Amino acid sequence: MNDMRLTERATDMKEIKITAEGVDVFYGDAHAIKDVSVEIEDKTVTAFIGPSGCGKSTFLRCLNRMNDTIDIARIEGDILIDGEDIYHPKVDPVQLRAKVGMVFQKPNPFPKSIYDNIAYGPRIHGLAKTKADLDDIVERALRRGALWDEVKDRLQEPGTGLSGGQQQRLCIARAVATEPEVLLMDEPCSALDPIATAQVEELIDELRQNYSVVIVTHSMQQAARVSQKTAFFHLGILVEYGETGEIFTTPKDSRTESYITGRIG
Amino acid sequence: MPVFWLVIIVLALAAAGYLLGRSRALQSAGGDSRNLHSQPNYYGSHVIMWVTVPAFGLMIVWLLAQPLLIDGRIAAQLPDTAVSEDTTLGLVMSDVRRVADGLDRAVGQGAMTEEQAGSVATELADLREQLAEVGVALGSNVSSDVLNAAQRYRDFKATGSLLMGIVVIALAIAGLILALLRTTNEFRARNVVERGVLTILMFAASIAILTTIGILLSLVFNTIEFFRLYSAWDFFFGLEWAPSFSGRGGASSLGVLPLLWGTFYISLIALLVSVPIGLFAAIYLSEYATPRVRAIAKPLLEVLAGIPTIVYGLFALLTVGPMLVSVFGQNTVGWMSGGTAVMTAGLVMGVMLIPFVSSLSDDIINAVPQAMRDGSYGLGATQSETIRQVILPAALPGIVGAILLAASRAIGETMIVVLGAGAAARLSLNPFEAMTTVTAKIVSQLTGDSDFASPEALVAFALGTTLFVLTLGLNVLALYIVRKYREQYE
């Protein structure tokens, strides 16, 4: 890790996209997230790091209400996106998830063609009026997913036939196709080999131009490579949150330091 | 020697062999089982294998072959006069067996001594009355030829079972000694025992396959016999089903098409009922139902599958038929003249198939990975959009397989059709008319009083073969589709 480069990162202030205040999450009796407050900036890559079971994925899934699909999950506290409470009764989680895209740990392309995988979201949300519109959206999404050149001649082949890295980029392109404002990524590279990981990381860095990206990762090197802000979770508590460069070079909390230097986790 | 005691003796030998084999193995290892190649139990099991398998194998073969051999010998020794003009050799032989059986019983109940049974002659005693007293009724007085034959039959049988007892026990002991001789600490008992177990498993599997082949062969031979008597062209393409009944004479029309049409029509209605209902039930159970509802509803639905089809048949005959008549019968629109109709049988069969379709589809829908659902929800799809556009397409091949399996059950179903669809073979489009199916006609052709060698009876085998080929084809297709689907996620 190049410490010099880390500290020289651009740290100019940006707009706040997501605000979480006093968030608690319970799975049945288990208290998974304890009083987490965080402000996530727009057009920034924010990394959540921490040992397994520390609640970073759980917190990520709160941001698009994916925890709603789990019966025993209960969420307290406020989460605001662009100043609007996403847990307000009048908010439809389905609409919210169109605005907050998500990419999962394991590539999960639908058993459909590459084209239909990308077109799935736009079709559901009625983003395209004509076939030509849809073709445009698919092409744009695949270009943003850095996959267009590899698949442009075989859009009708099944998405499950691609390699692991291509599948994950397909899933990212699929999430981008619905024009979200925030992209959540839950360990997007943990099922990929180093080359595919490098491609996806490069892609994440490009996506920063247009979206607020939140990424959960087990790899501290990855967090250091792709993110501008880093949050360290431990046992359901947000221990430290700040500039990636500072977290990795001059952590304020001893637990953060222990984790980063490999003494816990 | 009775077979029961023989089995007990061999089993006792086996138990003794187990202990002997174990201790001998331990002894050869100096009492420390770590010096053995295999665990001590394997040495014991190895001895059991050698004691029981050859002995019981021989016993089974002997028990199967002995009656055949004795019958052949006795029949050859019967004087020509014993078989008079109005009987056949087979009838005389069954008389011989009955008399021998009667003598056995008489001895068993103490009405005769063993010597009396061997020496009794028709001239000296009224054998028919004596046998009737012990519960064996004979149609006529016993002739001396038959009595002699019966006595010889008993002799042979007694000698035979004595011999069998000796040979089987000798074989068991030989096995015991041989196995014990092989037992040393170097001997690889585990490998031998495991290969033995494997052979038993393979034997069990091959019995199922061999039975299928046996059934198929019996069908095929009788079908060939039928086609010798009746033209295959008329059978497969005949538009009329009108068997003439025995005694009345006249040629029969045995065209299969009206029956196939009935089968197809009834199955179609059954599938039209069961597929939507079963599929919707499966979607509800797997996607919407809470775990508590699912835990109650799924077993309840599957109880339907356990109801014997004759009960469904009664339901069709007594409830659904009259109900349909009251709606579509003479008093209203006049489409339906009687309770038995394609519609009656089809509806009830559809109900029978609902749990079949729903249970299989439920399993298949559950097999669609959660990642697919998450992916779809993550893109802002609603639950119904997810089900319609992701889960059902992913599960479709499996669901098609389930439907094909249900179809092959519908085609093979008999009791509902016998009771609910009527007996008239007819080519008609009206679902409120009575029709009949291949299966129902197999029943009626074989249960009538027609001569078994006549085409009217043999046609049942041709029908059976047709049905077998049809359902086999559907099953193969269904399994192929289901398997192809399974490969996607594993």
Side-chain angles (χ1 to χ4, degrees):
Chain A
M1 213 179 305
N2 187 334
D3 289 348
M4 286 306 291
R5 220 196 66 194
L6 281 172
T7 48
E8 281 168 10
R9 277 194 191 187
T11 56
D12 47 314
M13 285 301 290
K14 289 187 175 131
E15 260 178 74
I16 304 297
K17 187 74 187 170
I18 306 172
T19 311
E21 270 172 23
V23 175
D24 285 271
V25 179
F26 303 87
Y27 285 127
D29 290 334
H31 198 170
I33 297 279
K34 294 163 190 161
D35 192 26
V36 168
S37 299
V38 69
E39 289 185 332
I40 292 165
E41 292 169 1
D42 199 10
K43 304 200 191 308
T44 306
V45 178
T46 306
F48 289 175
I49 61 170
S52 294
C54 67
K56 53 196 189 305
S57 287
T58 302
F59 186 67
L60 189 78
R61 289 167 68 95
C62 288
L63 300 181
N64 68 344
R65 294 186 61 172
M66 274 304 272
N67 282 332
D68 289 17
T69 61
I70 299 167
D71 290 332
I72 55 165
R74 191 157 54 83
I75 293 124
E76 287 170 10
D78 294 319
I79 298 176
L80 297 94
I81 294 182
D82 291 335
E84 276 182 50
D85 181 3
I86 62 169
Y87 281 91
H88 192 280
K90 74 168 198 268
V91 171
D92 184 356
V94 168
Q95 295 296 317
L96 172 74
R97 287 182 205 135
K99 211 164 88 171
V100 184
M102 184 155 192
V103 176
F104 296 85
Q105 189 169 355
K106 234 181 107 195
N108 58 348
F110 303 133
K112 299 166 180 281
S113 70
I114 293 169
Y115 184 94
D116 287 336
N117 260 287
I118 304 290
Y120 181 78
R123 275 185 184 138
I124 282 178
H125 301 295
L127 297 185
K129 286 193 186 63
T130 62
K131 177 82 173 72
D133 275 357
L134 194 60
D135 288 348
D136 278 351
I137 291 173
V138 170
E139 181 177 343
R140 204 160 57 232
L142 281 171
R143 280 192 195 282
R144 284 213 187 136
L147 197 60
W148 175 252
D149 292 332
E150 290 162 61
V151 300
K152 65 182 175 205
D153 299 323
R154 47 179 177 142
L155 291 175
Q156 295 310 320
E157 285 177 30
T160 44
L162 296 173
S163 74
Q166 288 174 324
Q167 284 189 14
Q168 193 63 303
R169 278 180 283 148
L170 179 69
C171 292
I172 294 172
R174 188 175 70 183
V176 166
T178 53
E179 301 288 340
E181 295 167 22
V182 180
L183 257 185
L184 307 179
M185 298 188 169
D186 191 355
E187 298 178 40
C189 299
S190 63
L192 304 183
D193 67 40
I195 294 170
T197 301
Q199 288 168 328
V200 171
E201 283 178 5
E202 201 176 320
L203 174 59
I204 292 170
D205 200 49
E206 283 168 26
L207 291 172
R208 182 159 64 94
Q209 314 295 324
N210 301 298
Y211 310 99
S212 167
V213 179
V214 184
I215 175 170
V216 164
T217 176
H218 261 125
S219 154
M220 283 172 286
Q221 286 87 344
Q222 184 172 60
R225 281 193 299 265
V226 300
S227 72
Q228 285 76 50
K229 301 275 256 185
T230 296
F232 171 63
F233 284 81
H234 186 54
L235 301 174
I237 298 165
L238 177 61
V239 174
E240 195 169 347
Y241 176 56
E243 298 293 333
T244 299
E246 284 173 20
I247 294 268
F248 280 93
T249 52
T250 54
K252 295 185 186 72
D253 195 287
S254 61
R255 285 169 293 182
T256 316
E257 192 184 356
S258 303
Y259 182 69
I260 286 166
T261 53
R263 266 183 279 144
I264 59 166
Chain B
M1 192 179 301
V3 172
F4 174 73
W5 286 109
L6 198 56
V7 171
I8 295 288
I9 290 173
V10 173
L11 287 181
L13 276 173
Y18 177 81
L19 297 174
L20 282 174
R22 228 185 105 99
S23 64
R24 190 178 155 87
L26 276 174
Q27 211 174 18
S28 73
D32 186 352
S33 64
R34 277 176 299 178
N35 295 333
L36 289 171
H37 167 268
S38 315
Q39 293 283 314
N41 289 345
Y42 282 108
Y43 292 93
S45 309
H46 169 246
V47 180
I48 290 186
M49 251 171 55
W50 272 98
V51 175
T52 53
V53 172
F56 284 141
L58 181 81
M59 197 171 84
I60 290 166
V61 172
W62 193 300
L63 286 175
L64 291 176
Q66 180 173 293
L68 296 178
L69 287 176
I70 294 181
D71 267 21
R73 298 266 312 264
I74 299 286
Q77 286 177 9
L78 267 182
D80 291 343
T81 53
V83 185
S84 53
E85 281 171 15
D86 56 342
T87 59
T88 64
L89 184 62
L91 288 176
V92 174
M93 279 310 296
S94 80
D95 262 0
V96 169
R97 277 193 296 271
R98 281 181 76 80
V99 173
D101 196 36
L103 290 173
D104 279 346
R105 280 214 211 178
V107 173
Q109 294 180 7
M112 275 189 206
T113 62
E114 189 63 51
E115 291 88 50
Q116 274 177 327
S119 61
V120 71
T122 39
E123 294 79 25
L124 298 178
D126 191 349
L127 191 64
R128 190 179 169 192
E129 248 170 50
Q130 259 187 313
L131 290 184
E133 271 170 34
V134 297
V136 177
L138 294 173
S140 59
N141 277 323
V142 182
S143 72
S144 61
D145 286 337
V146 169
L147 183 61
N148 285 335
Q151 281 162 344
R152 271 202 307 281
Y153 186 88
R154 292 191 66 228
D155 286 345
F156 279 141
K157 227 173 111 176
T159 327
S161 48
L162 184 68
L163 259 180
M164 178 179 80
I166 294 170
V167 173
V168 166
I169 291 176
L171 201 60
I173 293 174
L176 177 72
I177 293 170
L178 191 72
L180 284 178
L181 285 179
R182 289 175 70 184
T183 303
T184 61
N185 63 337
E186 299 276 293
F187 178 62
R188 305 186 165 201
R190 177 171 48 76
N191 308 30
V192 175
V193 170
E194 278 173 358
R195 215 174 307 132
V197 171
L198 178 69
T199 316
I200 291 172
L201 298 181
M202 274 162 57
F203 181 69
S206 54
I207 281 182
I209 296 168
L210 288 178
T211 314
T212 314
I213 293 175
I215 292 173
L216 193 61
L217 284 181
S218 80
L219 275 179
V220 165
F221 283 124
N222 285 299
T223 306
I224 291 172
E225 187 60 32
F226 169 71
F227 285 135
R228 217 172 273 151
L229 298 170
Y230 194 87
S231 121
W233 176 268
D234 289 346
F235 173 72
F236 284 117
F237 300 100
L239 292 178
E240 197 189 9
W241 174 269
S244 77
F245 293 99
S246 64
R248 258 194 265 160
S252 308
S253 304
L254 300 172
V256 75
L257 284 181
L259 303 185
L260 278 182
W261 169 246
T263 300
F264 170 76
Y265 205 176
I266 292 174
S267 305
L268 182 76
I269 291 176
L271 288 178
L272 285 180
V273 172
S274 62
V275 168
I277 297 180
L279 201 55
F280 290 165
I283 291 173
Y284 171 71
L285 283 180
S286 60
E287 295 294 318
Y288 290 101
T290 59
R292 203 189 301 163
V293 172
R294 187 181 152 85
I296 297 169
K298 200 173 181 210
L300 273 183
L301 201 59
E302 279 163 5
V303 164
L304 271 180
I307 297 175
T309 56
I310 185 77
V311 176
Y312 281 107
L314 288 176
F315 180 57
L317 186 69
L318 299 177
T319 312
V320 177
M323 209 176 71
L324 285 175
V325 169
S326 73
V327 178
F328 300 103
Q330 302 294 0
N331 298 331
T332 55
V333 282
W335 292 346
M336 205 169 170
S337 52
T340 53
V342 168
M343 195 50 109
T344 313
L347 286 179
V348 174
M349 204 190 281
V351 172
M352 179 194 84
L353 292 176
I354 288 172
F356 202 71
V357 174
S358 77
S359 183
L360 279 173
S361 308
D362 181 57
D363 290 346
I364 288 156
I365 290 174
N366 271 328
V368 175
Q370 182 63 29
M372 292 294 131
R373 296 181 179 86
D374 284 349
S376 177
Y377 294 146
L379 290 170
T382 63
Q383 194 165 11
S384 75
E385 282 165 343
T386 303
I387 291 168
R388 265 184 289 124
Q389 303 195 24
V390 175
I391 295 175
L392 286 185
L396 191 64
I399 290 171
V400 170
I403 292 170
L404 287 181
L405 285 178
S408 81
R409 275 207 58 179
I411 289 173
E413 176 48 42
T414 312
M415 289 325 299
I416 294 174
V417 180
V418 168
L419 292 178
R426 193 178 278 142
L427 272 170
S428 159
L429 279 174
N430 182 358
F432 295 103
E433 265 186 85
M435 282 186 208
T436 193
T437 66
V438 178
T439 50
K441 279 300 149 191
I442 293 179
V443 174
S444 64
Q445 289 313 108
L446 283 182
T447 49
D449 56 354
S450 54
D451 180 7
F452 204 74
S454 70
E456 284 79 21
L458 284 172
V459 71
F461 293 100
L463 292 175
T465 313
T466 314
L467 208 55
F468 182 85
V469 171
L470 268 180
T471 48
L472 183 75
L474 271 182
N475 279 344
V476 168
L477 187 65
L479 288 178
Y480 170 76
I481 291 173
V482 170
R483 191 165 306 158
K484 204 172 162 199
Y485 160 76
R486 289 260 152 84
E487 284 169 357
Q488 276 190 10
Y489 296 114
E490 281 169 11

